[in-house]
Amino acid sequence: MRRTAFIADTTALILFFTTTGIINERWIAGMAWDQVLHARLIGAVLMVPVARPYGLWRDWLMQRAGSGRVSKLLWDSIALVSFQVPIYAAIIAFSGASGSGLVRGILGATLMMLLLGRPYGAFLNWVRRLFGLPPGGEKPMSLGD
């Protein structure tokens, strides 16, 4: 079960954030295509060891979310920004972003991750279901609800 969770979380992270990373790096940070490729290759390599820890971090934070949409959106966004933005900043800096491009890239990633927190959380739960796993971070239902 642990191996399946690792594969599911890694698959979800790589698919979702390779796409959004390309958009941010090319059109918001203004990085050249070779820098985008470099950032995505580094990102893919780094996503493998951080995908499952992020999934666990998200699950832990999502236990604090209420049943409402706003609460889930807020907690998913907090989870994503707090875990992924520092890693992303290092990736694009190492890939050649500097000065105002680096700042724009970090700010763009922060905004994107605030907006994409819940969509990614839903995508992660969908991928987990495809792998036969329960969604993470959801409070279990009880007979009293």
Side-chain angles (χ1 to χ4, degrees):
M1 192 71 135
R2 288 171 60 180
R3 182 178 300 169
T4 303
F6 171 83
I7 293 169
D9 286 8
T10 302
T11 299
L13 195 71
I14 289 174
L15 290 176
F16 195 91
F17 285 106
T18 295
T19 304
T20 58
I22 290 169
I23 293 166
N24 184 57
E25 290 148 13
R26 181 66 182 145
W27 289 287
I28 296 173
M31 294 169 68
W33 282 113
D34 63 322
Q35 292 173 318
V36 172
L37 176 62
H38 191 250
R40 291 301 86 225
L41 291 173
I42 291 171
V45 169
L46 289 177
M47 284 185 227
V48 173
V50 302
R52 185 63 185 143
Y54 172 72
L56 294 169
W57 171 251
R58 177 193 173 263
D59 292 349
W60 182 74
L61 284 179
M62 289 301 290
Q63 291 174 4
R64 285 135 186 84
S67 59
R69 294 166 113 183
V70 173
S71 181
K72 288 181 180 183
L73 183 140
L74 175 69
W75 284 103
D76 251 335
S77 294
I78 289 169
L80 194 58
V81 169
S82 66
F83 193 95
Q84 299 292 356
V85 169
I87 295 168
Y88 184 76
I91 290 170
I92 65 171
F94 189 73
S95 297
S98 62
S100 65
L102 178 62
V103 172
R104 282 192 319 271
I106 293 169
L107 292 175
T110 301
L111 180 60
M112 284 177 65
M113 290 185 196
L114 281 171
L115 296 173
L116 294 174
R118 187 62 188 150
Y120 177 65
F123 180 74
L124 175 60
N125 284 340
W126 179 75
V127 170
R128 286 175 171 175
R129 278 192 298 276
L130 288 177
F131 280 83
L133 300 168
E138 309 257 335
K139 290 182 180 179
M141 294 176 61
S142 70
L143 295 175
D145 285 345

Coordinates of all heavy atoms in Angstrom, one line a residue, residues 4-92:
T4 N 2.2 1.9 -3.5 CA 1.1 2.4 -4.4 C 0.8 3.9 -4.1 O 0.7 4.7 -5.0 CB -0.2 1.6 -4.2 OG1 0.1 0.2 -4.5 CG2 -1.3 2.0 -5.1
A5 N 0.8 4.3 -2.8 CA 0.6 5.7 -2.4 C 1.8 6.5 -3.0 O 1.5 7.6 -3.5 CB 0.5 5.8 -0.9
F6 N 3.0 6.0 -2.9 CA 4.1 6.8 -3.4 C 4.0 7.0 -4.9 O 4.2 8.1 -5.4 CB 5.4 6.0 -3.1 CG 6.6 6.5 -3.8 CD1 7.3 7.6 -3.3 CD2 7.1 6.0 -5.0 CE1 8.4 8.1 -3.9 CE2 8.2 6.5 -5.7 CZ 8.9 7.6 -5.1
I7 N 3.6 5.9 -5.6 CA 3.5 6.0 -7.1 C 2.3 7.0 -7.5 O 2.4 7.8 -8.4 CB 3.3 4.6 -7.7 CG1 4.6 3.8 -7.6 CG2 2.9 4.7 -9.2 CD1 4.4 2.3 -7.9
A8 N 1.2 6.8 -6.8 CA 0.1 7.7 -7.1 C 0.4 9.2 -6.8 O 0.1 10.0 -7.7 CB -1.1 7.3 -6.2
D9 N 1.0 9.5 -5.7 CA 1.3 10.9 -5.4 C 2.3 11.4 -6.3 O 2.3 12.6 -6.7 CB 1.7 11.0 -3.9 CG 0.6 10.9 -2.9 OD1 -0.5 10.5 -3.3 OD2 0.9 11.1 -1.7
T10 N 3.3 10.6 -6.7 CA 4.3 11.1 -7.6 C 3.8 11.3 -9.0 O 4.1 12.3 -9.6 CB 5.5 10.0 -7.7 OG1 6.0 9.9 -6.3 CG2 6.6 10.5 -8.6
T11 N 2.9 10.4 -9.5 CA 2.3 10.6 -10.8 C 1.5 11.9 -10.8 O 1.6 12.7 -11.8 CB 1.4 9.4 -11.1 OG1 2.2 8.2 -11.1 CG2 0.7 9.5 -12.4
A12 N 0.7 12.1 -9.8 CA -0.1 13.3 -9.8 C 0.7 14.6 -9.8 O 0.4 15.5 -10.5 CB -1.0 13.3 -8.5
L13 N 1.7 14.6 -8.9 CA 2.6 15.8 -8.8 C 3.3 16.1 -10.1 O 3.3 17.2 -10.6 CB 3.6 15.7 -7.7 CG 4.2 17.0 -7.2 CD1 3.3 17.9 -6.5 CD2 5.4 16.7 -6.3
I14 N 3.9 15.1 -10.7 CA 4.6 15.3 -12.0 C 3.7 15.7 -13.1 O 4.0 16.7 -13.8 CB 5.4 14.0 -12.4 CG1 6.6 13.8 -11.4 CG2 5.9 14.1 -13.8 CD1 7.4 12.6 -11.6
L15 N 2.5 15.1 -13.3 CA 1.6 15.5 -14.4 C 1.1 16.9 -14.2 O 1.1 17.7 -15.1 CB 0.5 14.5 -14.5 CG 0.8 13.1 -15.0 CD1 -0.5 12.2 -14.9 CD2 1.3 13.1 -16.4
F16 N 0.6 17.2 -13.0 CA 0.0 18.5 -12.8 C 1.0 19.6 -12.8 O 0.8 20.6 -13.5 CB -0.7 18.5 -11.4 CG -1.7 19.6 -11.2 CD1 -3.0 19.4 -11.6 CD2 -1.3 20.8 -10.6 CE1 -3.9 20.4 -11.4 CE2 -2.2 21.8 -10.5 CZ -3.5 21.6 -10.8
F17 N 2.1 19.5 -12.2 CA 3.0 20.6 -12.0 C 4.1 20.7 -13.1 O 4.7 21.8 -13.3 CB 3.6 20.7 -10.6 CG 2.6 21.2 -9.7 CD1 2.1 20.3 -8.8 CD2 2.2 22.5 -9.7 CE1 1.1 20.7 -7.9 CE2 1.3 22.9 -8.8 CZ 0.7 22.1 -7.9
T18 N 4.2 19.7 -14.0 CA 5.0 19.9 -15.2 C 4.3 20.9 -16.1 O 4.9 21.9 -16.6 CB 5.3 18.6 -15.9 OG1 6.1 17.8 -15.0 CG2 6.0 18.8 -17.2
T19 N 3.0 20.7 -16.2 CA 2.2 21.6 -17.1 C 2.1 23.0 -16.5 O 2.4 24.0 -17.3 CB 0.7 21.0 -17.2 OG1 0.8 19.7 -17.7 CG2 -0.1 21.9 -18.1
T20 N 1.8 23.2 -15.3 CA 1.7 24.5 -14.7 C 3.1 25.2 -14.6 O 3.2 26.4 -14.7 CB 1.0 24.5 -13.3 OG1 1.7 23.7 -12.4 CG2 -0.5 24.0 -13.5
G21 N 4.1 24.4 -14.4 CA 5.5 25.0 -14.3 C 5.9 25.6 -15.6 O 6.5 26.7 -15.7
I22 N 5.6 24.9 -16.7 CA 5.9 25.4 -18.0 C 5.2 26.7 -18.3 O 5.9 27.7 -18.7 CB 5.5 24.4 -19.1 CG1 6.5 23.2 -19.1 CG2 5.6 25.0 -20.5 CD1 6.0 22.0 -19.9
I23 N 4.0 26.8 -17.9 CA 3.2 28.1 -18.1 C 3.9 29.2 -17.3 O 4.1 30.3 -17.9 CB 1.7 27.9 -17.7 CG1 1.1 26.9 -18.7 CG2 1.0 29.2 -17.7 CD1 -0.3 26.4 -18.2
N24 N 4.2 29.0 -16.1 CA 4.7 30.0 -15.2 C 6.1 30.4 -15.7 O 6.5 31.6 -15.8 CB 4.8 29.5 -13.8 CG 5.3 30.6 -12.9 OD1 4.7 31.7 -12.8 ND2 6.4 30.4 -12.1
E25 N 7.0 29.4 -16.0 CA 8.4 29.7 -16.3 C 8.5 30.5 -17.7 O 9.2 31.4 -17.8 CB 9.2 28.4 -16.4 CG 9.4 27.9 -15.0 CD 9.4 26.4 -14.9 OE1 9.5 25.7 -16.0 OE2 9.3 25.8 -13.8
R26 N 7.7 30.1 -18.6 CA 7.8 30.7 -20.0 C 7.1 32.0 -20.1 O 7.7 33.0 -20.5 CB 7.3 29.7 -21.0 CG 7.4 30.2 -22.4 CD 8.8 30.3 -22.9 NE 8.9 30.9 -24.2 CZ 9.8 31.7 -24.6 NH1 10.8 32.0 -23.9 NH2 9.7 32.2 -25.9
W27 N 5.9 32.1 -19.6 CA 5.1 33.3 -19.9 C 5.0 34.2 -18.7 O 4.6 35.4 -18.9 CB 3.7 32.9 -20.4 CG 3.8 32.3 -21.8 CD1 4.1 33.1 -22.9 CD2 3.8 31.0 -22.2 NE1 4.2 32.2 -24.0 CE2 4.0 30.9 -23.5 CE3 3.6 29.8 -21.5 CZ2 4.0 29.7 -24.3 CZ3 3.6 28.6 -22.2 CH2 3.8 28.6 -23.6
I28 N 5.3 33.8 -17.5 CA 5.3 34.8 -16.4 C 6.7 35.2 -16.0 O 7.0 36.4 -15.9 CB 4.5 34.2 -15.1 CG1 3.0 34.0 -15.6 CG2 4.6 35.1 -13.9 CD1 2.2 33.3 -14.5
A29 N 7.6 34.2 -15.8 CA 9.0 34.5 -15.4 C 9.8 34.9 -16.6 O 10.8 35.5 -16.5 CB 9.6 33.3 -14.7
G30 N 9.3 34.6 -17.8 CA 10.0 35.0 -19.0 C 11.3 34.3 -19.3 O 12.2 34.7 -20.0
M31 N 11.3 33.0 -18.8 CA 12.5 32.2 -19.0 C 12.6 31.7 -20.5 O 11.5 31.5 -21.1 CB 12.5 31.0 -18.1 CG 12.7 31.4 -16.6 SD 12.3 30.1 -15.4 CE 13.7 29.0 -15.7
A32 N 13.8 31.5 -21.0 CA 13.9 30.9 -22.3 C 13.5 29.5 -22.3 O 13.6 28.8 -21.3 CB 15.4 31.1 -22.8
W33 N 13.2 28.9 -23.5 CA 12.8 27.5 -23.6 C 13.8 26.5 -23.0 O 13.5 25.6 -22.4 CB 12.4 27.1 -25.0 CG 11.0 27.6 -25.4 CD1 10.7 28.6 -26.3 CD2 9.8 27.2 -24.8 NE1 9.4 28.8 -26.3 CE2 8.8 27.9 -25.4 CE3 9.4 26.3 -23.8 CZ2 7.4 27.8 -25.1 CZ3 8.1 26.1 -23.5 CH2 7.1 26.9 -24.1
D34 N 15.1 26.8 -23.2 CA 16.1 25.9 -22.7 C 16.2 26.0 -21.2 O 16.4 25.0 -20.5 CB 17.5 26.2 -23.3 CG 18.1 27.6 -23.0 OD1 17.3 28.6 -22.9 OD2 19.3 27.7 -22.7
Q35 N 15.9 27.2 -20.6 CA 15.8 27.3 -19.1 C 14.6 26.6 -18.6 O 14.6 25.9 -17.6 CB 15.8 28.8 -18.7 CG 17.1 29.5 -19.0 CD 16.9 31.0 -18.7 OE1 15.9 31.6 -19.1 NE2 18.0 31.5 -18.1
V36 N 13.5 26.7 -19.4 CA 12.2 26.0 -19.0 C 12.5 24.5 -19.0 O 12.1 23.8 -18.0 CB 11.1 26.3 -19.9 CG1 9.8 25.5 -19.6 CG2 10.7 27.8 -19.8
L37 N 13.1 24.0 -20.0 CA 13.4 22.5 -20.1 C 14.3 22.1 -18.9 O 14.0 21.1 -18.2 CB 14.1 22.2 -21.4 CG 14.6 20.8 -21.6 CD1 13.4 19.8 -21.5 CD2 15.4 20.6 -22.8
H38 N 15.3 22.9 -18.6 CA 16.2 22.6 -17.5 C 15.4 22.6 -16.2 O 15.6 21.7 -15.4 CB 17.3 23.7 -17.5 CG 18.4 23.4 -16.5 ND1 18.6 24.1 -15.4 CD2 19.4 22.4 -16.5 CE1 19.7 23.6 -14.7 NE2 20.1 22.5 -15.4
A39 N 14.6 23.6 -16.0 CA 13.8 23.7 -14.8 C 12.8 22.5 -14.6 O 12.6 21.9 -13.6 CB 13.0 25.0 -14.7
R40 N 12.2 22.1 -15.7 CA 11.3 21.0 -15.7 C 12.0 19.6 -15.5 O 11.5 18.7 -14.8 CB 10.5 20.9 -17.0 CG 9.5 22.0 -17.2 CD 8.4 22.1 -16.1 NE 8.9 22.9 -15.0 CZ 8.8 22.6 -13.7 NH1 8.2 21.6 -13.3 NH2 9.3 23.4 -12.8
L41 N 13.2 19.5 -16.0 CA 14.0 18.3 -15.7 C 14.4 18.2 -14.3 O 14.3 17.2 -13.6 CB 15.2 18.2 -16.6 CG 14.9 18.0 -18.1 CD1 16.2 18.1 -18.9 CD2 14.2 16.6 -18.3
I42 N 14.9 19.3 -13.7 CA 15.2 19.4 -12.3 C 13.9 19.1 -11.5 O 13.9 18.4 -10.5 CB 15.8 20.7 -11.9 CG1 17.2 20.9 -12.5 CG2 15.9 20.9 -10.4 CD1 17.8 22.2 -12.4
G43 N 12.9 19.8 -11.9 CA 11.6 19.7 -11.2 C 11.1 18.2 -11.1 O 10.7 17.7 -10.1
A44 N 11.2 17.5 -12.3 CA 10.8 16.1 -12.3 C 11.6 15.2 -11.4 O 11.1 14.4 -10.7 CB 10.8 15.6 -13.7
V45 N 12.9 15.5 -11.4 CA 13.8 14.7 -10.5 C 13.5 15.0 -9.0 O 13.4 14.1 -8.2 CB 15.3 15.0 -10.8 CG1 16.2 14.5 -9.8 CG2 15.7 14.5 -12.2
L46 N 13.2 16.3 -8.7 CA 12.9 16.6 -7.3 C 11.5 16.2 -6.9 O 11.3 16.0 -5.7 CB 13.1 18.1 -7.1 CG 14.5 18.6 -7.1 CD1 14.6 20.1 -7.0 CD2 15.3 18.0 -6.0
M47 N 10.6 16.1 -7.9 CA 9.2 15.7 -7.5 C 9.2 14.3 -7.0 O 8.3 14.0 -6.2 CB 8.3 15.9 -8.7 CG 7.9 17.3 -9.0 SD 6.7 17.5 -10.3 CE 7.4 18.7 -11.3
V48 N 10.1 13.4 -7.5 CA 10.0 12.0 -7.0 C 10.2 11.9 -5.5 O 9.3 11.3 -4.9 CB 11.0 11.2 -7.8 CG1 11.1 9.8 -7.3 CG2 10.6 11.2 -9.3
P49 N 11.2 12.5 -4.9 CA 11.3 12.3 -3.5 C 10.4 13.2 -2.6 O 10.2 12.9 -1.5 CB 12.8 12.7 -3.2 CG 13.2 13.6 -4.3 CD 12.4 13.1 -5.5
V50 N 9.8 14.3 -3.2 CA 9.0 15.2 -2.4 C 7.5 14.9 -2.6 O 6.7 15.4 -1.8 CB 9.3 16.7 -2.6 CG1 10.7 17.0 -2.4 CG2 8.8 17.1 -4.0
A51 N 7.1 14.2 -3.6 CA 5.6 14.0 -3.9 C 4.9 13.3 -2.7 O 3.9 13.8 -2.3 CB 5.4 13.2 -5.2
R52 N 5.4 12.2 -2.2 CA 4.8 11.5 -1.1 C 4.8 12.3 0.2 O 3.8 12.5 0.9 CB 5.3 10.1 -0.9 CG 4.6 9.3 0.1 CD 3.1 9.1 -0.3 NE 2.5 8.4 0.8 CZ 1.2 8.6 1.1 NH1 0.5 9.5 0.5 NH2 0.6 8.0 2.2
P53 N 6.0 12.9 0.5 CA 6.0 13.8 1.7 C 5.0 14.9 1.6 O 4.3 15.3 2.6 CB 7.4 14.3 1.8 CG 8.2 13.2 1.2 CD 7.4 12.7 0.1
Y54 N 4.8 15.5 0.4 CA 3.8 16.5 0.2 C 2.4 16.0 0.4 O 1.6 16.6 1.0 CB 3.9 17.2 -1.2 CG 2.7 18.1 -1.3 CD1 2.6 19.3 -0.6 CD2 1.6 17.8 -2.1 CE1 1.5 20.1 -0.6 CE2 0.5 18.5 -2.1 CZ 0.4 19.7 -1.4 OH -0.7 20.5 -1.4
G55 N 2.2 14.8 -0.2 CA 0.9 14.2 0.0 C 0.5 14.0 1.5 O -0.6 14.2 1.9
L56 N 1.5 13.5 2.2 CA 1.3 13.3 3.7 C 1.1 14.7 4.4 O 0.2 14.8 5.3 CB 2.5 12.6 4.3 CG 2.7 11.2 3.8 CD1 4.0 10.6 4.3 CD2 1.5 10.3 4.3
W57 N 1.9 15.7 4.0 CA 1.7 17.1 4.6 C 0.3 17.6 4.3 O -0.3 18.1 5.2 CB 2.8 18.0 3.9 CG 2.7 19.4 4.2 CD1 2.3 20.4 3.4 CD2 2.9 20.1 5.5 NE1 2.3 21.6 4.0 CE2 2.7 21.5 5.3 CE3 3.3 19.7 6.7 CZ2 2.8 22.4 6.3 CZ3 3.5 20.6 7.8 CH2 3.2 22.0 7.5
R58 N -0.1 17.4 3.0 CA -1.4 17.9 2.6 C -2.5 17.1 3.4 O -3.5 17.8 4.0 CB -1.7 17.7 1.2 CG -3.1 18.1 0.7 CD -3.4 17.6 -0.7 NE -4.8 17.9 -0.9 CZ -5.8 17.0 -0.8 NH1 -5.5 15.7 -0.4 NH2 -7.1 17.3 -1.0
D59 N -2.4 15.8 3.5 CA -3.4 15.1 4.3 C -3.5 15.5 5.7 O -4.5 15.7 6.3 CB -3.0 13.6 4.2 CG -3.1 13.0 2.9 OD1 -3.7 13.6 1.9 OD2 -2.7 11.8 2.7
W60 N -2.3 15.8 6.3 CA -2.3 16.2 7.7 C -2.9 17.6 7.9 O -3.7 17.8 8.8 CB -0.8 16.3 8.2 CG -0.7 16.7 9.6 CD1 -0.9 15.9 10.7 CD2 -0.2 18.0 10.1 NE1 -0.7 16.7 11.9 CE2 -0.2 17.9 11.5 CE3 0.2 19.1 9.5 CZ2 0.2 19.0 12.3 CZ3 0.6 20.2 10.3 CH2 0.6 20.1 11.6
L61 N -2.6 18.6 7.0 CA -3.3 19.9 7.0 C -4.8 19.8 6.7 O -5.6 20.5 7.3 CB -2.6 20.9 6.1 CG -1.2 21.4 6.6 CD1 -0.7 22.4 5.5 CD2 -1.3 22.1 7.9
M62 N -5.1 19.0 5.8 CA -6.5 18.9 5.4 C -7.4 18.3 6.5 O -8.6 18.5 6.4 CB -6.7 18.1 4.1 CG -6.2 18.8 2.8 SD -7.0 20.4 2.5 CE -8.6 19.8 2.0
Q63 N -6.9 17.7 7.4 CA -7.7 17.2 8.6 C -8.2 18.4 9.4 O -9.2 18.2 10.1 CB -6.8 16.3 9.5 CG -6.5 15.0 8.9 CD -5.5 14.2 9.8 OE1 -5.1 14.6 10.9 NE2 -5.1 13.1 9.3
R64 N -7.7 19.6 9.2 CA -8.1 20.8 9.9 C -9.3 21.4 9.1 O -9.9 22.3 9.6 CB -7.0 21.8 10.0 CG -6.1 21.3 11.2 CD -4.6 21.5 10.7 NE -3.7 21.0 11.8 CZ -3.4 19.7 11.9 NH1 -3.9 18.8 11.1 NH2 -2.6 19.3 12.9
A65 N -9.5 21.0 7.8 CA -10.5 21.7 7.0 C -11.9 21.2 7.5 O -12.1 20.1 7.8 CB -10.3 21.3 5.5
G66 N -12.8 22.2 7.4 CA -14.2 21.8 7.6 C -14.8 21.2 6.4 O -14.1 20.9 5.4
S67 N -16.0 20.9 6.4 CA -16.7 20.3 5.3 C -17.1 21.2 4.2 O -17.4 20.8 3.1 CB -18.0 19.5 5.8 OG -18.9 20.5 6.4
G68 N -17.0 22.5 4.4 CA -17.3 23.5 3.4 C -16.3 23.7 2.3 O -15.1 23.4 2.6
R69 N -16.7 24.2 1.2 CA -15.8 24.4 0.1 C -14.7 25.4 0.4 O -13.6 25.2 0.0 CB -16.6 24.8 -1.1 CG -17.5 23.8 -1.7 CD -18.5 24.4 -2.6 NE -18.2 23.9 -4.0 CZ -18.9 24.4 -5.0 NH1 -19.8 25.3 -4.9 NH2 -18.6 23.9 -6.2
V70 N -15.1 26.5 1.0 CA -14.1 27.5 1.3 C -13.0 27.0 2.3 O -11.8 27.3 2.1 CB -14.8 28.8 1.9 CG1 -13.8 29.8 2.4 CG2 -15.8 29.4 0.9
S71 N -13.4 26.3 3.3 CA -12.4 25.7 4.2 C -11.4 24.8 3.4 O -10.2 24.8 3.6 CB -13.1 25.0 5.3 OG -12.1 24.4 6.2
K72 N -12.0 23.9 2.6 CA -11.1 23.0 1.8 C -10.2 23.7 0.9 O -9.0 23.4 0.8 CB -12.0 22.0 1.1 CG -12.6 20.9 2.0 CD -13.4 19.9 1.2 CE -14.0 18.9 2.2 NZ -14.8 17.9 1.5
L73 N -10.7 24.8 0.2 CA -9.9 25.6 -0.7 C -8.8 26.2 0.1 O -7.7 26.2 -0.4 CB -10.8 26.6 -1.3 CG -10.2 27.5 -2.4 CD1 -11.1 27.7 -3.5 CD2 -9.7 28.8 -1.8
L74 N -9.1 26.8 1.2 CA -8.1 27.5 2.0 C -7.0 26.6 2.5 O -5.8 26.8 2.3 CB -8.8 28.2 3.2 CG -7.8 28.8 4.3 CD1 -7.2 30.1 3.6 CD2 -8.6 29.2 5.5
W75 N -7.4 25.4 3.0 CA -6.4 24.5 3.6 C -5.6 23.8 2.5 O -4.4 23.6 2.6 CB -7.0 23.5 4.5 CG -7.3 24.1 5.8 CD1 -8.5 24.5 6.3 CD2 -6.3 24.4 6.8 NE1 -8.4 25.0 7.5 CE2 -7.1 25.0 7.9 CE3 -5.0 24.3 6.9 CZ2 -6.4 25.4 9.1 CZ3 -4.3 24.7 8.1 CH2 -5.1 25.3 9.1
D76 N -6.2 23.5 1.3 CA -5.4 23.0 0.2 C -4.4 24.0 -0.3 O -3.3 23.7 -0.6 CB -6.4 22.6 -1.0 CG -6.5 21.1 -1.1 OD1 -5.5 20.3 -0.7 OD2 -7.5 20.6 -1.7
S77 N -4.8 25.3 -0.4 CA -3.9 26.3 -0.8 C -2.8 26.5 0.2 O -1.6 26.7 -0.2 CB -4.7 27.6 -1.0 OG -5.6 27.5 -2.1
I78 N -3.1 26.5 1.4 CA -2.0 26.7 2.5 C -1.0 25.5 2.4 O 0.2 25.8 2.4 CB -2.6 26.8 3.9 CG1 -3.3 28.1 4.1 CG2 -1.6 26.6 5.0 CD1 -4.2 28.2 5.3
A79 N -1.5 24.3 2.2 CA -0.6 23.2 2.1 C 0.3 23.3 0.9 O 1.5 23.1 1.0 CB -1.5 21.9 2.0
L80 N -0.2 23.7 -0.3 CA 0.6 23.7 -1.5 C 1.6 24.9 -1.4 O 2.8 24.6 -1.7 CB -0.4 23.9 -2.7 CG 0.3 23.7 -4.0 CD1 0.8 22.3 -4.1 CD2 -0.8 23.9 -5.1
V81 N 1.2 26.0 -1.0 CA 2.1 27.2 -0.9 C 3.2 26.9 0.1 O 4.4 27.1 -0.2 CB 1.3 28.5 -0.6 CG1 2.3 29.6 -0.3 CG2 0.5 28.9 -1.8
S82 N 2.9 26.5 1.3 CA 3.9 26.3 2.3 C 4.9 25.2 2.0 O 6.0 25.3 2.4 CB 3.2 26.0 3.7 OG 2.5 24.8 3.6
F83 N 4.5 24.2 1.2 CA 5.4 23.2 0.9 C 6.2 23.4 -0.4 O 7.4 23.1 -0.4 CB 4.7 21.8 0.9 CG 5.6 20.6 0.9 CD1 5.8 20.0 2.1 CD2 6.1 20.1 -0.3 CE1 6.6 18.8 2.1 CE2 6.9 19.0 -0.2 CZ 7.2 18.3 0.9
Q84 N 5.5 23.8 -1.4 CA 6.1 23.8 -2.7 C 6.8 25.1 -3.2 O 7.7 25.0 -4.0 CB 5.0 23.4 -3.8 CG 4.3 22.1 -3.6 CD 5.3 20.9 -3.9 OE1 6.4 21.1 -4.3 NE2 4.8 19.7 -3.6
V85 N 6.3 26.2 -2.7 CA 6.9 27.5 -3.2 C 8.4 27.5 -2.9 O 9.2 27.9 -3.7 CB 6.2 28.7 -2.7 CG1 7.0 30.0 -2.9 CG2 4.8 28.8 -3.3
P86 N 8.9 27.2 -1.6 CA 10.3 27.2 -1.4 C 11.1 26.3 -2.3 O 12.2 26.7 -2.8 CB 10.5 26.8 0.1 CG 9.2 27.1 0.7 CD 8.1 26.9 -0.4
I87 N 10.6 25.1 -2.6 CA 11.3 24.2 -3.5 C 11.3 24.8 -4.9 O 12.3 24.7 -5.6 CB 10.6 22.8 -3.5 CG1 10.7 22.2 -2.1 CG2 11.1 21.9 -4.6 CD1 9.8 21.0 -1.9
Y88 N 10.2 25.3 -5.4 CA 10.1 25.9 -6.7 C 11.0 27.1 -6.9 O 11.7 27.2 -7.9 CB 8.6 26.3 -7.0 CG 8.5 26.8 -8.4 CD1 8.4 25.9 -9.5 CD2 8.4 28.2 -8.7 CE1 8.3 26.4 -10.8 CE2 8.3 28.7 -10.0 CZ 8.2 27.8 -11.0 OH 8.1 28.2 -12.3
A89 N 11.2 27.9 -5.9 CA 12.1 29.1 -5.9 C 13.5 28.6 -6.2 O 14.2 29.1 -7.0 CB 12.0 29.9 -4.7
A90 N 13.9 27.5 -5.5 CA 15.3 27.0 -5.7 C 15.4 26.4 -7.1 O 16.5 26.6 -7.7 CB 15.5 25.9 -4.6
I91 N 14.4 25.8 -7.6 CA 14.5 25.2 -8.9 C 14.7 26.2 -10.0 O 15.6 26.1 -10.8 CB 13.2 24.4 -9.3 CG1 13.2 23.1 -8.4 CG2 13.2 24.0 -10.7 CD1 11.8 22.4 -8.5
I92 N 13.9 27.3 -10.0 CA 14.1 28.3 -11.1 C 15.3 29.1 -10.9 O 15.9 29.6 -11.9 CB 12.8 29.1 -11.3 CG1 12.5 30.0 -10.1 CG2 11.6 28.2 -11.7 CD1 11.3 31.0 -10.4

